Amino acid sequence: MLISLVVPVYNEGPRIARHLQSILTAAHTEDCELELLAVDDGSNDESASEIQRLVEVDGRVRLLSLTRNFGKEAAIYAGLEHARGEAVVVLDADLQHPPALIPEMIRAWRAGEHIVEAVKRERNDPSRLDSLFARAFYSLYRRMSGFDIAGHSDFKLLDRQVVDIYLQLPERYRFFRGLVNWTGISGRVLHFDVEPRPGSRSRWSKLGLMRYAVNNVTAFSTIPLAVVAWLGCLTLAFGVVVALITVLQKLTGQAQAGFTTVNILLILLGGSIMTSLGIMGHYIGKIYVEIKSRPVYIVKLTDRKRP
Ligand code: UDP
Ligand code: MG
């Protein structure tokens, strides 16, 4: 039985070959064949040539090169599309996802699990700011989408059936962790400690990470659009109160000439424009959900007996 290891690679430098070899050694299990599919996400260093050298000496290694840097999510998607295994393990190239866990993941899969997730025991972020940022993201994500994926990583084993379901989801913008969680397919959780990144810094820029966070929250929630509608209603309600006060002031002769009209116009116009925007936001939210064309439901997978 074949197990695929999908490894996204972006500018990992000359150590990539050694890392991939360590992954293969650690993942080795009796009576399971391995293929390691390295997806070069448009690296502009020696990563691709180093992997190519490995391909030539080790028949288990395959290289899929993307034309440019499409981002880790695209690399994972490409890897899953090209993987041939009955189960696929996705893991990082920098050994921050300990490959020593793979044999245990495979054992759990053979015992019948459809998904085996490696969840971080404790965050090991290089700075307090990173840690704070990650916490804020997961908390916002949980509130907005209703799914709790705190601690989840892209280090996962997926059964072929789950890979096929994932690939059938038609949306273009993908958040691997979030989408696998969204399918509702349950599995086993294994805990792991994140190792410090050996030798180099994370491939993510701060700005890139921020954009990733905003995209992921909005991919799973239309609440930000609804907020406009609520703000509109609030402004309108506030406007009506202020308008009444202004009219009262006018009647009791306390207002300056012209002030009443301007005041009422401004407040009520602002409020109604915002409410209209909110109503449009509501429809845009519906269009957004429809256009992602996620399946309405997913049927529980049948028990899988492995030889
Ligand atoms: N990666 C990628 N494309 C990118 C950025 C990163 O394929 O645009 C790969 C990278 O080579 C590594 C994995 O994704 O295998 C995780 O990246 P990194 O370790 O930099 O992220 P972090 O550990 O900070 O989440
Ligand atoms: Mg890393």
Side-chain angles (χ1 to χ4, degrees):
M1 157 182 20
L2 181 70
I3 312 274
S4 303
L5 310 174
V6 165
V7 185
V9 177
Y10 179 55
N11 286 353
E12 293 290 347
R15 62 191 172 280
I16 184 65
R18 189 163 37 82
H19 283 184
L20 296 185
Q21 273 166 329
S22 322
I23 290 174
L24 277 167
T25 312
H28 177 79
T29 42
E30 295 297 321
D31 50 63
C32 268
E33 244 185 280
L34 291 176
E35 73 161 0
L36 189 154
L37 179 56
V39 184
D40 169 36
D41 186 17
S43 300
N44 40 34
D45 66 353
E46 58 272 64
S47 300
S49 55
E50 284 291 320
I51 301 169
Q52 187 53 41
R53 254 184 349 109
L54 202 61
V55 170
E56 276 151 29
V57 294
D58 192 331
R60 297 170 297 176
V61 183
R62 291 165 60 200
L63 170 64
L64 185 70
S65 283
L66 308 188
T67 49
R68 64 167 172 86
N69 183 237
F70 283 93
K72 185 184 177 186
E73 290 291 341
I76 293 177
Y77 185 67
L80 288 173
E81 268 201 326
H82 287 81
R84 297 187 282 229
E86 280 180 61
V88 181
V89 180
V90 177
L91 78 163
D92 284 2
D94 55 7
L95 302 182
Q96 281 195 297
H97 294 160
L101 214 60
I102 298 174
E104 203 179 331
M105 292 173 126
I106 296 175
R107 268 199 300 280
W109 170 67
R110 296 189 69 165
E113 299 290 350
H114 292 102
I115 297 183
V116 188
E117 306 204 62
V119 170
K120 293 169 203 151
R121 197 171 279 129
E122 222 174 280
R123 298 203 59 86
N124 194 357
D125 295 304
S127 74
R128 282 182 73 91
L129 193 71
D130 285 359
S131 174
L132 207 72
F133 181 77
R135 266 174 233 274
F137 165 70
Y138 284 116
S139 151
L140 190 71
Y141 184 89
R142 179 168 48 78
R143 276 162 222 264
M144 292 280 186
S145 71
F147 298 105
D148 188 2
I149 56 162
H152 283 221
S153 68
D154 293 334
F155 188 15
K156 293 185 197 305
L157 178 146
L158 307 182
D159 179 65
R160 171 52 52 192
Q161 288 185 72
V162 182
V163 174
D164 290 344
I165 288 175
Y166 181 78
L167 293 176
Q168 273 163 23
L169 296 176
E171 61 201 88
R172 301 287 93 203
Y173 180 82
R174 286 177 172 266
F175 180 38
F176 180 58
R177 250 170 282 179
L179 272 179
V180 169
N181 183 263
W182 176 88
T183 64
I185 301 166
S186 56
R188 170 93 60 88
V189 169
L190 302 178
H191 292 277
F192 76 102
D193 294 307
V194 183
E195 300 294 327
R197 200 181 212 281
S200 63
R201 294 224 325 262
S202 168
R203 292 290 164 268
W204 293 90
S205 66
K206 288 275 181 288
L207 196 70
L209 215 52
M210 199 83 89
R211 209 179 299 134
Y212 187 57
V214 171
N215 283 339
N216 290 338
V217 169
T218 49
F220 283 83
S221 170
T222 52
I223 290 179
L225 281 172
V227 168
V228 182
W230 283 112
L231 276 178
C233 289
L234 271 178
T235 320
L236 207 56
F238 180 68
V240 170
V241 174
V242 177
L244 284 176
I245 294 173
T246 325
V247 169
L248 214 68
Q249 284 175 338
K250 170 84 178 165
L251 291 178
T252 53
Q254 290 168 0
Q256 282 183 11
F259 176 73
T260 315
T261 331
V262 174
N263 211 7
I264 293 177
L265 270 180
L266 214 67
I267 298 166
L268 294 185
L269 260 181
S272 34
I273 288 174
M274 211 153 173
T275 311
S276 323
L277 274 180
I279 293 170
M280 281 204 235
H282 184 73
Y283 282 97
I284 292 174
K286 293 268 178 254
I287 295 170
Y288 185 53
V289 170
E290 290 292 335
I291 218 158
K292 276 189 289 192
S293 304
R294 286 185 192 161
V296 179
Y297 61 87
I298 294 172
V299 176
K300 229 177 194 171
L301 301 180
T302 46
D303 276 347
R304 194 177 41 78
K305 273 283 153 271
R306 290 282 153 195

